[in-house]
Amino acid sequence: MRILFATLLLFTAGLACTPKVGSKIGAGPIAPDTPERYDSIGKPLIGEEAQPIAEYDLLDGVDVRPEDAAAEDTLPAYNPSHTFEHDLIHTKINIRFDWEKKHALGKATLTLRPWFYSTDRLTLDAKNFDIHSIRFEGQNTTLPYDYDKEKLVIQLGKTFTRNDEYKIAIEYTAKPDERENISGSAAILSDKGLHFINADGSDLGKPKQIWTQGETEANSCWFPTVDKPNERCTQEMYITVDNQYVTLSNGVLVSSTKNADGSRTDYWKMDKPHAPYLFMMAIGEFAVVKDKWRDVELSYYVEPAYEAYAKDIFPYTPDMLEFFSNKLQYPYPWPKYAQVVVRDYVSGAMENTSAVIFGEFVQKTKRELLDDHLGNERIVAHEMFHHWFGDLVTTESWANLTLNEGFANYSEYLWFEHKYGRDVADDHLRNEQEGYLYSMMNGGHPLIHYGYDNRESMFDAHSYNKGGCVLHILRKYLGDDAFFAGLNRYLTKHAYTDVEAHELRMAFEEVSGQDLNWFFNQWYFKSGHPQQAISYDWDAATKKAAVRIEQQQEGADVPRVFQVPLAVDIYDAGGKARREQIVLTKRAQTFQFDAPVKPALINVDAEKALLCEKEDNHTTEEWIFMYRHAPLYLDRMEAIEALLQGDDPELEKILTDALTDPSAPIRLKALGKAETSKPAIAAQVAKLAQSDADPGVRAYAIERLGKVADMKYRTIFENGLQADQPYSVVGASLSALVKIDPAAAVTASAALQNDESEAIILALGSLYASHPQAGLLTWFERSGKKLDYMNAFSFFDHYRKYLTQLNDPEALEKGINNFATTALDAATSPFRRFGATKAIADLRTDYRERGDAEKAQALSDLIAKIRDQETDPTLKMYYDMF
Ligand SMILES: [Zn+2]
């Protein structure tokens, strides 16, 4: 799955996470950090993993804590794969809903067979059901059972052998909202499995929907099953709904039948086996747009207002299916491919077999997508690639999660490389590497991690980012032909089964003929990554160039020496390079190369593929040479970053070059340093502001020009406000115009007040906070409902500043009431609740500073009330700190 945001735990100052592209959570509303550091849509978030809880067992009445026992006397923590007592062969579900009670009324008929040992009982996962009856299918006698609301143990009344297949029918009511201990994680905010959205229809701005989220083990909240990733079965779904609703489930829609009571039953059938956590339903009033790839039906389910943009929201779906099918030499293996956007989703997206669910953040207009089309492409690619890695071959246990997520992560690289070339893909790789390295500040673990504390904590920067980066290293080592042939072998051999990392290794070994234990041992079964100090020398007497590489990584479970094959490019002064291959096998090692004259540059890891930290001791001249002559985007980016740390006079010339670099991320870096007080540089920035192909570069160039506050740029800003411009450009232009002509900006803003783009709403909010005018309360109130996540924090801060600046007691009173309504609305997003409460707390600070104790006290009372009514423990904790 694709994780979108972290828990609110991450409000803690200093902790950071990657909730959404370009965002960083801090102590409150803060400006986003440099985007590229946080570019991984949610994965891996530092700080979110549960702290190990000291576990201890009660033995003979004595607490025996781990530290009391010699470590070697105790088995290490180990989360095994699920032990099979039965094989679940087929699941047939009839289901309908009680919207009012948020219940599902189901009948599940399961086909089973003992796995190996004979048995007279069956244990199923079934979370918070009312069980009405359990029978062998077609029989009247009910079977006795024990049920603790989590595990259902059925007495079969006779012993079955592994040759005996039987069918059992269970009638039940699932009550997901009434389950005790509904929990969640940073990755998946709730594990109640079955979600009713706006069930009573009271929120007029929100459609009524039902959808499911199975991963990790939550689908057993709506049907009885063996809720483990190494289980798999075929599936039939009979979903009965009121006739206005559309349904979606796995497999193909076989029939739709009108019932006498006016309802309709849709029959979905998946005839290929897949894991129970990949079962899904989505029900709502969706617009469905059809498409086709080869003979496979594609469908895009969106809210009716977005019907015209459905193919833009799920960009290049047929092209990606073609690309991945060809790359893997394994055609997309499922009977259809559907993608649906739902409201209030608990994660980013989920690869339910043949029916992917996405959160509403992907639902954008064509104009909104101008700013972040890569964001939608990467998430579409990620979920699609799971249909080979995750759905066709499935991790046998959560400890091996990278066998799902590492591949899905790497598919983003593969798609970008195919569609936009290596530079764009390498920029993505760099962000993934940084996301992982950043998360390492919170400690690491082996990529295959049998010792995890909580299975949800496996959805982190290791399983995703590191998993993808390690596949890239392996691809560069084996070569493309062997790498993709190895993937084909792995898929072909293990199709429709569960897998562990050794099976991946064996597939690569069989194809390449090489032993790869060394690679898997260090990258998959140990922790960490190489930390290298690299230095260079040239001896005029011996005519030898030397590269010394010292590995400095430390830590439990971290190899003291990584075995690292590397390409090294040795450049002459004319910019011509020859390539040498080296293999690091020691903690410190010096490699010598023939060099009649001193090389202009020695570029270690010339493919820039290694996941590592490094201190590369090039001289300034060498960095400049690297920027000008080394071939990759990553070479230039490394050089620019190193050069920006210095103050060499040459730097200005390099930055001038970098403003026209072919890669947008480097142009952005250069813009950040551009001295716009110098006319020649300002002219270059103005050019980017007018015509750069990348909206982000244009918007940032406009922002930089805005700081110059020169009327001569007015036309650029006015052009940037035109209706065909990307929203980031409009927002930046408005903010820039404010600086030279506030009245014109306020006038221009009037035409934008009905715009729903978050960038525009934020730009207007910021404008009105600094240039308040009466009569905007309704706009603030309405717009506050449209923003979520980090943008909600910023917006409520603008809103508060507006109220403060306006100096109108009646408006202030209304504003506070609006904050309170939002903060107390349990149905709204926790991000909005927090943003509104924080605004109240900041207003209280204003009162205190002005010595208005009475009003400050009134707001303290209000915050106490909000805190008391808040059900989210993390928010409560933060409110205590206000
Ligand atoms: Zn995923």
Side-chain angles (χ1 to χ4, degrees):
M1 78 183 314
R2 174 66 95 150
I3 300 164
L4 181 62
F5 40 75
T7 58
L8 293 150
L9 262 180
L10 302 166
F11 286 121
T12 311
L15 286 185
C17 74
T18 56
K20 217 177 170 186
V21 176
S23 302
K24 177 184 174 185
I25 295 181
I30 54 166
D33 232 307
T34 320
E36 62 268 28
R37 281 199 60 82
Y38 304 101
D39 178 274
S40 39
I41 288 189
K43 311 176 234 182
L45 310 178
I46 171 161
E48 74 188 46
E49 294 177 23
Q51 291 299 310
I53 297 164
E55 289 182 23
Y56 51 91
D57 301 313
L58 200 62
L59 290 179
D60 296 324
V62 179
D63 284 353
V64 180
R65 293 165 192 267
E67 59 266 35
D68 295 334
E72 60 268 28
D73 290 348
T74 311
L75 284 171
Y78 181 78
N79 294 285
S81 57
H82 162 71
T83 303
F84 286 109
E85 290 172 3
H86 275 87
D87 187 15
L88 177 58
I89 297 161
H90 183 71
T91 298
K92 182 169 94 177
I93 300 167
N94 286 272
I95 199 161
R96 59 197 168 86
F97 308 95
D98 182 332
W99 287 81
E100 202 177 311
K101 293 182 179 156
K102 301 185 188 174
H103 288 174
L105 314 169
K107 178 183 177 187
T109 308
L110 310 181
T111 308
L112 297 129
R113 184 168 53 210
W115 185 266
F116 185 86
Y117 301 105
S118 300
T119 184
D120 61 358
R121 58 170 208 180
L122 166 66
T123 302
L124 295 170
D125 297 296
K127 295 177 180 136
N128 206 47
F129 291 0
D130 287 341
I131 302 287
H132 305 309
S133 68
I134 302 176
R135 297 182 170 89
F136 287 113
E137 195 192 34
Q139 295 188 12
N140 287 327
T141 317
T142 56
L143 298 172
Y145 61 87
D146 294 310
Y147 184 42
D148 65 0
K149 292 287 178 189
E150 296 281 316
K151 295 271 180 197
L152 178 61
V153 182
I154 302 166
Q155 305 303 329
L156 299 171
K158 64 171 258 198
T159 298
F160 288 82
T161 74
R162 61 182 176 274
N163 299 317
D164 300 328
E165 197 172 291
Y166 64 90
K167 287 188 177 167
I168 208 144
I170 302 169
E171 292 188 82
Y172 61 95
T173 299
K175 304 187 293 184
D177 284 85
E178 294 159 46
R179 184 171 165 225
E180 283 178 22
N181 305 324
I182 294 173
S183 63
S185 66
I188 304 155
L189 293 181
S190 166
D191 66 353
K192 69 181 174 185
L194 175 64
H195 299 253
F196 288 82
I197 304 304
N198 193 25
D200 60 5
S202 61
D203 187 340
L204 298 177
K206 191 180 278 187
K208 287 176 70 171
Q209 295 178 344
I210 296 171
W211 46 261
T212 61
Q213 169 54 38
E215 199 174 28
T216 51
E217 298 175 8
N219 269 345
S220 47
C221 293
W222 59 276
F223 64 93
T225 189
V226 178
D227 205 351
K228 298 293 173 186
N230 56 351
E231 181 56 81
R232 66 172 63 226
C233 64
T234 48
Q235 168 199 10
E236 289 170 284
M237 298 279 295
Y238 292 84
I239 306 172
T240 300
V241 292
D242 289 344
N243 199 36
Q244 74 264 33
Y245 296 111
V246 172
T247 74
L248 174 63
S249 188
N250 316 87
V252 294
L253 179 62
V254 177
S255 65
S256 253
T257 310
K258 282 270 190 71
N259 302 314
D261 63 359
S263 65
R264 194 186 76 248
T265 300
D266 289 348
Y267 169 36
W268 293 88
K269 185 177 183 187
M270 169 62 93
D271 57 7
K272 292 180 174 164
H274 65 143
Y277 78 88
L278 297 166
F279 284 33
M280 74 81 75
M281 296 182 290
I283 290 148
E285 294 180 78
F286 301 107
V288 185
V289 174
K290 299 284 182 185
D291 203 349
K292 199 164 188 181
W293 169 76
R294 296 190 188 174
D295 287 332
V296 178
E297 183 190 272
L298 313 180
S299 48
Y300 313 125
Y301 289 58
V302 294
E303 287 174 30
Y306 288 86
E307 183 171 2
Y309 313 114
K311 288 187 184 178
D312 305 305
I313 288 166
F314 305 111
Y316 304 116
T317 298
D319 297 1
M320 284 185 197
L321 285 164
E322 183 68 24
F323 169 64
F324 290 141
S325 295
N326 290 336
K327 198 84 184 161
L328 297 166
Q329 287 295 296
Y330 196 111
Y332 173 75
W334 306 99
K336 69 129 189 315
Y337 195 66
Q339 299 170 100
V340 57
V341 179
V342 301
R343 288 290 186 109
D344 296 351
Y345 189 49
V346 286
S347 189
M350 179 68 207
E351 66 270 20
N352 309 297
T353 314
S354 77
V356 177
I357 288 186
F358 294 80
E360 66 202 82
F361 66 98
V362 300
Q363 195 166 249
K364 295 173 183 161
T365 64
K366 204 164 185 161
R367 188 174 176 197
E368 285 174 308
L369 285 165
L370 290 175
D371 276 316
D372 187 24
H373 67 98
L374 292 186
N376 277 37
E377 283 180 47
R378 65 188 285 201
I379 192 166
V380 168
H382 179 112
E383 304 308 327
M384 186 187 289
F385 211 56
H386 269 310
H387 282 70
W388 288 267
F389 299 92
D391 297 3
L392 179 64
V393 299
T394 308
T395 180
E396 70 161 24
S397 72
W398 306 116
N400 288 269
L401 183 64
T402 197
L403 296 180
N404 290 6
E405 297 301 347
F407 283 97
N409 177 281
Y410 194 52
S411 73
E412 300 162 21
Y413 184 97
L414 294 174
W415 170 252
F416 287 160
E417 184 185 35
H418 167 74
K419 182 77 184 167
Y420 301 105
R422 181 167 177 183
D423 285 359
V424 171
D426 274 355
D427 183 57
H428 176 66
L429 176 71
R430 176 173 174 272
N431 294 335
E432 296 305 302
Q433 290 173 338
E434 289 193 353
Y436 157 76
L437 293 172
Y438 191 66
S439 80
M440 282 295 285
M441 287 193 281
N442 214 33
H445 60 74
L447 194 47
I448 304 297
H449 187 30
Y450 288 102
Y452 62 75
D453 291 317
N454 178 334
R455 62 177 183 257
E456 308 294 345
S457 72
M458 288 302 295
F459 292 78
D460 67 359
H462 284 69
S463 298
Y464 287 76
N465 305 39
K466 185 179 186 181
C469 293
V470 166
L471 288 171
H472 187 65
I473 300 169
L474 188 59
R475 174 185 168 192
K476 289 291 169 187
Y477 172 70
L478 292 173
D480 276 16
D481 287 352
F483 179 77
F484 289 107
L487 294 187
N488 177 272
R489 172 70 61 98
Y490 172 68
L491 291 171
T492 307
K493 197 164 174 179
H494 302 291
Y496 305 105
T497 71
D498 54 294
V499 283
E500 57 184 304
H502 295 295
E503 285 160 326
L504 180 64
R505 173 178 58 81
M506 293 297 286
F508 285 123
E509 290 190 353
E510 286 165 22
V511 163
S512 70
Q514 302 188 36
D515 181 284
L516 291 169
N517 275 306
W518 64 272
F519 185 92
F520 278 76
N521 285 344
Q522 67 187 13
W523 286 113
Y524 280 85
F525 295 101
K526 295 273 189 185
S527 296
H529 53 272
Q531 286 174 279
Q532 302 174 334
I534 309 171
S535 52
Y536 306 89
D537 200 5
W538 178 72
D539 188 326
T542 60
K543 309 274 187 228
K544 296 271 187 196
V547 177
R548 180 179 161 79
I549 303 176
E550 194 180 328
Q551 298 193 38
Q552 299 178 328
Q553 65 276 359
E554 300 283 353
D557 250 354
V558 177
R560 269 183 63 76
V561 181
F562 274 86
Q563 181 174 333
V564 185
L566 286 175
V568 176
D569 281 355
I570 300 168
Y571 284 83
D572 66 23
K576 195 160 172 289
R578 77 169 202 268
R579 179 160 291 192
E580 302 275 356
Q581 300 290 343
I582 61 172
V583 183
L584 309 187
T585 55
K586 295 190 171 78
R587 185 81 170 165
Q589 231 165 333
T590 300
F591 300 89
Q592 288 195 322
F593 308 98
D594 292 333
V597 293
K598 187 178 181 199
L601 173 72
I602 299 179
N603 191 9
V604 173
D605 186 19
E607 287 292 325
K608 295 286 173 277
L610 184 63
L611 175 62
C612 67
E613 290 173 276
K614 63 185 172 186
E615 177 195 321
D616 205 337
N617 292 293
H618 286 309
T619 61
T620 301
E621 295 70 40
E622 287 167 344
W623 285 123
I624 290 172
F625 186 93
M626 186 158 158
Y627 179 77
R628 294 204 196 287
H629 296 284
L632 303 178
Y633 154 76
L634 288 174
D635 292 317
R636 297 197 305 282
M637 183 55 107
E638 236 175 59
I640 281 286
E641 289 201 315
L643 289 167
L644 285 177
Q645 290 171 16
D647 53 359
D648 194 279
E650 269 291 292
L651 186 59
E652 188 178 322
K653 180 73 180 63
I654 287 288
L655 280 174
T656 309
D657 290 358
L659 283 172
T660 57
D661 192 280
S663 291
I666 291 180
R667 296 201 296 281
L668 281 169
K669 282 250 175 234
L671 269 174
K673 284 280 176 181
E675 291 185 55
T676 43
S677 57
K678 295 182 178 170
I681 303 238
Q684 255 192 310
V685 173
K687 209 169 159 193
L688 296 178
Q690 283 169 297
S691 57
D692 198 279
D694 184 275
V697 171
R698 284 191 60 205
Y700 193 34
I702 289 168
E703 185 187 325
R704 294 301 320 269
L705 283 187
K707 296 211 163 93
V708 181
D710 188 325
M711 287 301 277
K712 73 179 173 197
Y713 301 125
R714 185 185 178 118
T715 314
I716 294 178
F717 305 154
E718 284 174 347
N719 287 342
L721 286 166
Q722 299 302 309
D724 59 346
Q725 296 298 319
Y727 287 117
S728 60
V729 171
V730 176
S733 299
L734 189 64
S735 301
L737 189 60
V738 177
K739 299 208 168 63
I740 55 171
D741 188 348
V746 170
T747 305
S749 76
L752 298 167
Q753 282 182 4
N754 287 324
D755 207 296
E756 306 228 337
S757 150
E758 296 196 8
I760 299 301
I761 292 173
L762 279 182
L764 292 186
S766 172
L767 170 66
Y768 298 144
S770 57
H771 297 82
Q773 49 175 304
L776 291 171
L777 273 184
T778 310
W779 178 84
F780 269 104
E781 195 172 325
R782 192 183 70 222
S783 302
K785 291 178 182 153
K786 294 175 187 159
L787 301 182
D788 207 342
Y789 312 116
M790 305 308 301
N791 286 345
F793 298 168
S794 303
F795 180 80
F796 279 105
D797 199 44
H798 295 324
Y799 192 170
R800 172 188 63 83
K801 285 180 181 151
Y802 167 75
L803 293 170
T804 311
Q805 298 282 326
L806 193 61
N807 207 13
D808 172 350
E810 199 184 322
L812 181 58
E813 182 80 26
K814 283 185 183 163
I816 291 171
N817 284 341
N818 183 225
F819 291 153
T821 306
T822 307
L824 290 165
D825 181 1
T828 201
S829 128
F831 293 87
R832 274 197 289 265
R833 299 206 299 274
F834 180 87
T837 311
K838 176 84 167 50
I840 295 171
D842 290 343
L843 284 171
R844 180 182 58 181
T845 306
D846 291 347
Y847 283 133
R848 282 176 178 164
E849 283 171 359
R850 276 187 259 138
D852 192 336
E854 195 184 328
K855 288 205 166 109
Q857 185 55 48
L859 293 188
S860 287
D861 295 344
L862 180 55
I863 292 168
K865 181 179 165 192
I866 293 166
R867 189 229 172 265
D868 286 348
Q869 292 197 19
E870 180 57 59
T871 52
D872 184 302
T874 313
L875 280 188
K876 264 185 187 304
M877 185 179 82
Y878 283 102
Y879 294 168
D880 283 340
M881 294 194 291
F882 281 169

